[in-house]
């Protein structure tokens, strides 16, 4: 149970309150700090899956806790973004994404009870959704209101914000689309 991948996943859960606290710190770089914590969590998500396969340390506990850690971090970030922006065009996509996660979790649990979970396993399109979601959320958390002086990022903050909004709305579309695909795959079991 206490494999390296599972420890990384638990570390990601511990990062959630750190992320929230840093976001609300009364300091000028709080949003950048929260972005950095979220980035570490996103990287750790990729790392724990890679190590589980590479070290042959996949476990039932890991299969359970990994998606829980992801959904908790993403839900916390989306709620904070909605509160921070206070705009319907940020709130509605957040509601769609959070609703999709709840719907898919329930659908996967139902399909597991029928021994058909493979029909609603994570798809390639679902992975694209996750990537777009992470990039969009990170950009919206950071929301730089200044030109970034780092050498790698010497372009106006408007371009970063445009990219963040783009990824956020792509993630919203893919969230809805993948939900429909999973629902269609499960429909024969649901109607029976």
């Amino acid at each position: 149970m206490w494999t390296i991948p599972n420890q990384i996943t638990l570390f990601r859960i511990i990062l959630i309150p750190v992320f929230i606290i840093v976001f609300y710190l009364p300091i000028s770089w709080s949003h950048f700090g929260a972005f950095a914590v979220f980035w570490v969590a996103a990287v750790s998500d990729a790392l724990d899956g890679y190590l589980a396969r590479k070290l042959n340390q996949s476990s039932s506990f890991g299969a359970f806790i990994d998606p829980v850690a992801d959904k908790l971090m993403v839900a916390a970030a989306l709620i904070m973004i909605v509160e921070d922006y206070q705009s319907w065009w940020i709130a509605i996509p957040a509601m769609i994404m959070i609703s999709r996660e709840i719907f898919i979790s329930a659908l996967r649990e139902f399909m597991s009870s029928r021994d058909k979970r493979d029909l609603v396993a994570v798809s390639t399109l679902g992975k694209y959704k996750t990537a777009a979601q992470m990039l969009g959320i990170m950009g919206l958390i950071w929301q730089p209101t200044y030109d970034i002086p780092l050498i790698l990022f010497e372009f106006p903050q408007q371009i970063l914000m445009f990219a963040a909004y783009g990824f956020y709305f792509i993630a919203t579309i893919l969230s809805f689309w993948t939900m429909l695909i999973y629902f269609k795959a499960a429909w024969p079991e649901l109607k029976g």
Side-chain angles (χ1 to χ4, degrees):
M1 179 174 152
W2 298 112
T3 62
I4 293 170
N6 289 349
Q7 289 178 40
I8 293 172
T9 301
L10 292 172
F11 169 71
R12 193 158 68 253
I13 292 172
I14 292 168
L15 282 180
I16 296 169
V18 174
F19 166 68
I20 294 169
I21 289 167
V22 170
F23 187 85
Y24 288 108
L25 285 175
I27 52 179
S28 62
W29 52 268
S30 62
H31 282 75
F32 180 78
F35 155 81
V37 173
F38 192 89
W39 180 83
V40 168
V43 169
S44 76
D45 182 27
L47 183 63
D48 65 13
Y50 171 77
L51 289 176
R53 290 185 298 276
K54 187 79 171 169
L55 302 174
N56 197 23
Q57 292 185 344
S58 297
S59 66
S60 297
F61 179 72
F64 159 72
I65 201 68
D66 183 63
V68 170
D70 298 343
K71 287 167 183 35
L72 289 174
M73 179 62 95
V74 167
L78 287 171
I79 291 166
M80 290 163 50
I81 288 168
V82 167
E83 187 270 335
D84 200 38
Y85 282 78
Q86 297 187 6
S87 170
W88 66 268
W89 51 275
I90 294 292
I92 290 174
M95 183 207 58
I96 290 169
M97 287 187 259
I98 292 172
S99 299
R100 182 255 190 210
E101 296 305 332
I102 294 168
F103 179 85
I104 297 300
S105 294
L107 189 63
R108 286 185 176 139
E109 184 178 339
F110 171 78
M111 293 299 280
S112 290
S113 73
R114 307 270 182 169
D115 290 328
K116 302 269 176 107
R117 190 179 190 297
D118 289 345
L119 292 176
V120 289
V122 177
S123 66
T124 302
L125 201 55
K127 291 178 181 178
Y128 292 147
K129 182 273 304 177
T130 299
Q133 189 176 55
M134 294 301 177
L135 291 170
I137 288 172
M138 283 190 281
L140 293 179
I141 289 167
W142 185 359
Q143 58 173 300
T145 53
Y146 49 85
D147 287 342
I148 298 131
L150 302 177
I151 292 171
L152 295 176
F153 297 105
E154 285 198 8
F155 47 88
Q157 56 88 14
Q158 291 89 354
I159 294 173
L160 284 178
M161 290 309 298
F162 180 77
Y165 291 133
F167 283 121
Y168 189 71
F169 294 117
I170 289 169
T172 304
I173 292 165
L174 291 178
S175 291
F176 190 74
W177 188 3
T178 55
M179 181 179 69
L180 291 179
I181 291 170
Y182 293 138
F183 183 73
K184 182 180 176 185
W187 180 243
E189 289 296 317
L190 291 168
K191 72 179 182 180

